[in-house]
PDB file of all heavy atoms in Angstrom:
ATOM      1  N   GLU A 443      14.652  -0.494-107.480  1.00 89.00           N
ATOM      2  CA  GLU A 443      14.028  -0.919-106.225  1.00 89.00           C
ATOM      3  C   GLU A 443      14.682  -0.231-105.038  1.00 89.00           C
ATOM      4  O   GLU A 443      14.010   0.143-104.078  1.00 89.00           O
ATOM      5  CB  GLU A 443      14.133  -2.440-106.074  1.00 89.00           C
ATOM      6  CG  GLU A 443      13.046  -3.163-106.826  1.00 89.00           C
ATOM      7  CD  GLU A 443      13.032  -4.642-106.516  1.00 89.00           C
ATOM      8  OE1 GLU A 443      13.756  -5.076-105.600  1.00 89.00           O
ATOM      9  OE2 GLU A 443      12.299  -5.361-107.196  1.00 89.00           O
ATOM     10  N   SER A 448      14.661   6.042-101.459  1.00 83.00           N
ATOM     11  CA  SER A 448      15.315   7.329-101.224  1.00 83.00           C
ATOM     12  C   SER A 448      14.408   8.447-101.708  1.00 83.00           C
ATOM     13  O   SER A 448      13.569   8.249-102.579  1.00 83.00           O
ATOM     14  CB  SER A 448      16.654   7.383-101.962  1.00 83.00           C
ATOM     15  OG  SER A 448      16.450   7.117-103.312  1.00 83.00           O
ATOM     16  N   ASP A 449      14.569   9.631-101.105  1.00 81.00           N
ATOM     17  CA  ASP A 449      13.709  10.726-101.552  1.00 81.00           C
ATOM     18  C   ASP A 449      14.347  11.463-102.716  1.00 81.00           C
ATOM     19  O   ASP A 449      15.131  12.394-102.552  1.00 81.00           O
ATOM     20  CB  ASP A 449      13.311  11.681-100.427  1.00 81.00           C
ATOM     21  CG  ASP A 449      14.428  11.941 -99.454  1.00 81.00           C
ATOM     22  OD1 ASP A 449      15.595  11.963 -99.909  1.00 81.00           O
ATOM     23  OD2 ASP A 449      14.169  12.108 -98.286  1.00 81.00           O
ATOM     24  N   VAL A 450      13.984  10.987-103.893  1.00 84.00           N
ATOM     25  CA  VAL A 450      14.523  11.523-105.132  1.00 84.00           C
ATOM     26  C   VAL A 450      14.020  12.954-105.315  1.00 84.00           C
ATOM     27  O   VAL A 450      12.893  13.273-104.927  1.00 84.00           O
ATOM     28  CB  VAL A 450      14.070  10.631-106.299  1.00 84.00           C
ATOM     29  CG1 VAL A 450      14.462  11.224-107.630  1.00 84.00           C
ATOM     30  CG2 VAL A 450      14.643   9.246-106.145  1.00 84.00           C
ATOM     31  N   ALA A 451      14.888  13.798-105.903  1.00 81.00           N
ATOM     32  CA  ALA A 451      14.501  15.189-106.132  1.00 81.00           C
ATOM     33  C   ALA A 451      13.238  15.251-106.991  1.00 81.00           C
ATOM     34  O   ALA A 451      13.031  14.411-107.866  1.00 81.00           O
ATOM     35  CB  ALA A 451      15.650  15.919-106.833  1.00 81.00           C
ATOM     36  N   LEU A 469      27.468   5.022-119.026  1.00 90.00           N
ATOM     37  CA  LEU A 469      28.812   5.580-118.786  1.00 90.00           C
ATOM     38  C   LEU A 469      29.724   4.505-118.203  1.00 90.00           C
ATOM     39  O   LEU A 469      30.882   4.377-118.597  1.00 90.00           O
ATOM     40  CB  LEU A 469      28.727   6.742-117.790  1.00 90.00           C
ATOM     41  CG  LEU A 469      28.527   8.141-118.313  1.00 90.00           C
ATOM     42  CD1 LEU A 469      28.500   9.123-117.152  1.00 90.00           C
ATOM     43  CD2 LEU A 469      29.638   8.530-119.263  1.00 90.00           C
ATOM     44  N   GLY A 473      33.523   1.460-120.079  1.00 85.00           N
ATOM     45  CA  GLY A 473      34.826   0.908-119.721  1.00 85.00           C
ATOM     46  C   GLY A 473      35.176  -0.344-120.502  1.00 85.00           C
ATOM     47  O   GLY A 473      36.349  -0.673-120.642  1.00 85.00           O
ATOM     48  N   ALA A 475      34.772  -0.707-123.638  1.00 80.00           N
ATOM     49  CA  ALA A 475      35.041  -0.379-125.035  1.00 80.00           C
ATOM     50  C   ALA A 475      36.380  -0.953-125.460  1.00 80.00           C
ATOM     51  O   ALA A 475      37.371  -0.849-124.749  1.00 80.00           O
ATOM     52  CB  ALA A 475      35.031   1.131-125.222  1.00 80.00           C
ATOM     53  N   LEU A 477      37.247  -3.981-125.703  1.00 79.00           N
ATOM     54  CA  LEU A 477      37.490  -5.345-125.242  1.00 79.00           C
ATOM     55  C   LEU A 477      36.984  -6.308-126.314  1.00 79.00           C
ATOM     56  O   LEU A 477      35.947  -6.085-126.907  1.00 79.00           O
ATOM     57  CB  LEU A 477      36.734  -5.559-123.932  1.00 79.00           C
ATOM     58  CG  LEU A 477      37.261  -6.582-122.949  1.00 79.00           C
ATOM     59  CD1 LEU A 477      38.575  -6.105-122.377  1.00 79.00           C
ATOM     60  CD2 LEU A 477      36.275  -6.756-121.814  1.00 79.00           C
TER      61      LEU A 477
ATOM     62  N   ILE B 863      20.316  14.510-107.404  1.00 89.00           N
ATOM     63  CA  ILE B 863      19.163  13.965-108.117  1.00 89.00           C
ATOM     64  C   ILE B 863      18.614  12.749-107.372  1.00 89.00           C
ATOM     65  O   ILE B 863      17.405  12.551-107.260  1.00 89.00           O
ATOM     66  CB  ILE B 863      19.582  13.574-109.550  1.00 89.00           C
ATOM     67  CG1 ILE B 863      19.772  14.817-110.409  1.00 89.00           C
ATOM     68  CG2 ILE B 863      18.570  12.636-110.172  1.00 89.00           C
ATOM     69  CD1 ILE B 863      18.514  15.391-110.955  1.00 89.00           C
ATOM     70  N   GLY B 865      18.590  12.209-104.302  1.00 84.00           N
ATOM     71  CA  GLY B 865      18.041  12.514-102.993  1.00 84.00           C
ATOM     72  C   GLY B 865      19.081  12.964-101.989  1.00 84.00           C
ATOM     73  O   GLY B 865      18.785  13.055-100.804  1.00 84.00           O
ATOM     74  N   GLN B 869      22.050   8.477-100.478  1.00 86.00           N
ATOM     75  CA  GLN B 869      21.036   7.831-101.301  1.00 86.00           C
ATOM     76  C   GLN B 869      21.493   7.631-102.730  1.00 86.00           C
ATOM     77  O   GLN B 869      20.738   7.104-103.543  1.00 86.00           O
ATOM     78  CB  GLN B 869      19.764   8.679-101.290  1.00 86.00           C
ATOM     79  CG  GLN B 869      19.531   9.225 -99.916  1.00 86.00           C
ATOM     80  CD  GLN B 869      18.122   9.630 -99.661  1.00 86.00           C
ATOM     81  OE1 GLN B 869      17.206   9.009-100.150  1.00 86.00           O
ATOM     82  NE2 GLN B 869      17.938  10.661 -98.881  1.00 86.00           N
ATOM     83  N   TRP B1049      43.146  -6.539-121.357  1.00 84.00           N
ATOM     84  CA  TRP B1049      42.555  -6.918-122.640  1.00 84.00           C
ATOM     85  C   TRP B1049      41.675  -5.830-123.236  1.00 84.00           C
ATOM     86  O   TRP B1049      41.237  -5.969-124.369  1.00 84.00           O
ATOM     87  CB  TRP B1049      41.757  -8.213-122.479  1.00 84.00           C
ATOM     88  CG  TRP B1049      42.626  -9.361-122.118  1.00 84.00           C
ATOM     89  CD1 TRP B1049      43.594  -9.915-122.896  1.00 84.00           C
ATOM     90  CD2 TRP B1049      42.640 -10.088-120.884  1.00 84.00           C
ATOM     91  NE1 TRP B1049      44.196 -10.938-122.207  1.00 84.00           N
ATOM     92  CE2 TRP B1049      43.633 -11.078-120.991  1.00 84.00           C
ATOM     93  CE3 TRP B1049      41.897 -10.005-119.709  1.00 84.00           C
ATOM     94  CZ2 TRP B1049      43.915 -11.967-119.955  1.00 84.00           C
ATOM     95  CZ3 TRP B1049      42.173 -10.902-118.686  1.00 84.00           C
ATOM     96  CH2 TRP B1049      43.174 -11.864-118.816  1.00 84.00           C
ATOM     97  N   GLY B1050      41.359  -4.786-122.489  1.00 80.00           N
ATOM     98  CA  GLY B1050      40.463  -3.760-123.002  1.00 80.00           C
ATOM     99  C   GLY B1050      41.176  -2.766-123.900  1.00 80.00           C
ATOM    100  O   GLY B1050      42.389  -2.827-124.084  1.00 80.00           O
ATOM    101  N   GLY B1051      40.400  -1.820-124.440  1.00 77.00           N
ATOM    102  CA  GLY B1051      40.993  -0.818-125.299  1.00 77.00           C
ATOM    103  C   GLY B1051      41.585   0.344-124.520  1.00 77.00           C
ATOM    104  O   GLY B1051      42.335   1.145-125.054  1.00 77.00           O
ATOM    105  N   TYR B1058      35.958   2.574-114.202  1.00 91.00           N
ATOM    106  CA  TYR B1058      34.819   1.842-114.743  1.00 91.00           C
ATOM    107  C   TYR B1058      34.522   0.615-113.902  1.00 91.00           C
ATOM    108  O   TYR B1058      33.357   0.265-113.703  1.00 91.00           O
ATOM    109  CB  TYR B1058      35.091   1.451-116.189  1.00 91.00           C
ATOM    110  CG  TYR B1058      35.154   2.643-117.105  1.00 91.00           C
ATOM    111  CD1 TYR B1058      36.319   2.990-117.751  1.00 91.00           C
ATOM    112  CD2 TYR B1058      34.030   3.424-117.303  1.00 91.00           C
ATOM    113  CE1 TYR B1058      36.378   4.085-118.585  1.00 91.00           C
ATOM    114  CE2 TYR B1058      34.071   4.524-118.131  1.00 91.00           C
ATOM    115  CZ  TYR B1058      35.255   4.855-118.777  1.00 91.00           C
ATOM    116  OH  TYR B1058      35.298   5.941-119.591  1.00 91.00           O
ATOM    117  N   LEU B1062      30.915   0.007-112.313  1.00 92.00           N
ATOM    118  CA  LEU B1062      30.137  -1.191-112.651  1.00 92.00           C
ATOM    119  C   LEU B1062      29.736  -1.938-111.395  1.00 92.00           C
ATOM    120  O   LEU B1062      28.596  -2.395-111.262  1.00 92.00           O
ATOM    121  CB  LEU B1062      30.954  -2.110-113.560  1.00 92.00           C
ATOM    122  CG  LEU B1062      31.071  -1.671-115.011  1.00 92.00           C
ATOM    123  CD1 LEU B1062      32.159  -2.444-115.717  1.00 92.00           C
ATOM    124  CD2 LEU B1062      29.749  -1.882-115.719  1.00 92.00           C
ATOM    125  N   ARG B1072      20.867  -7.540-101.959  1.00 85.00           N
ATOM    126  CA  ARG B1072      19.750  -8.479-101.986  1.00 85.00           C
ATOM    127  C   ARG B1072      20.227  -9.895-101.757  1.00 85.00           C
ATOM    128  O   ARG B1072      19.626 -10.659-101.010  1.00 85.00           O
ATOM    129  CB  ARG B1072      19.106  -8.434-103.370  1.00 85.00           C
ATOM    130  CG  ARG B1072      17.786  -7.768-103.465  1.00 85.00           C
ATOM    131  CD  ARG B1072      17.422  -7.706-104.926  1.00 85.00           C
ATOM    132  NE  ARG B1072      16.629  -8.862-105.292  1.00 85.00           N
ATOM    133  CZ  ARG B1072      15.301  -8.838-105.342  1.00 85.00           C
ATOM    134  NH1 ARG B1072      14.666  -7.742-105.031  1.00 85.00           N
ATOM    135  NH2 ARG B1072      14.621  -9.896-105.696  1.00 85.00           N
TER     136      ARG B1072
END
Side-chain angles (χ1 to χ4, degrees):
Chain A
E443 277 188 9
S448 55
D449 39 34
V450 173
L469 269 181
L477 207 68
Chain B
I863 286 279
Q869 320 201 35
W1049 296 294
Y1058 293 115
L1062 284 166
R1072 253 174 93 97

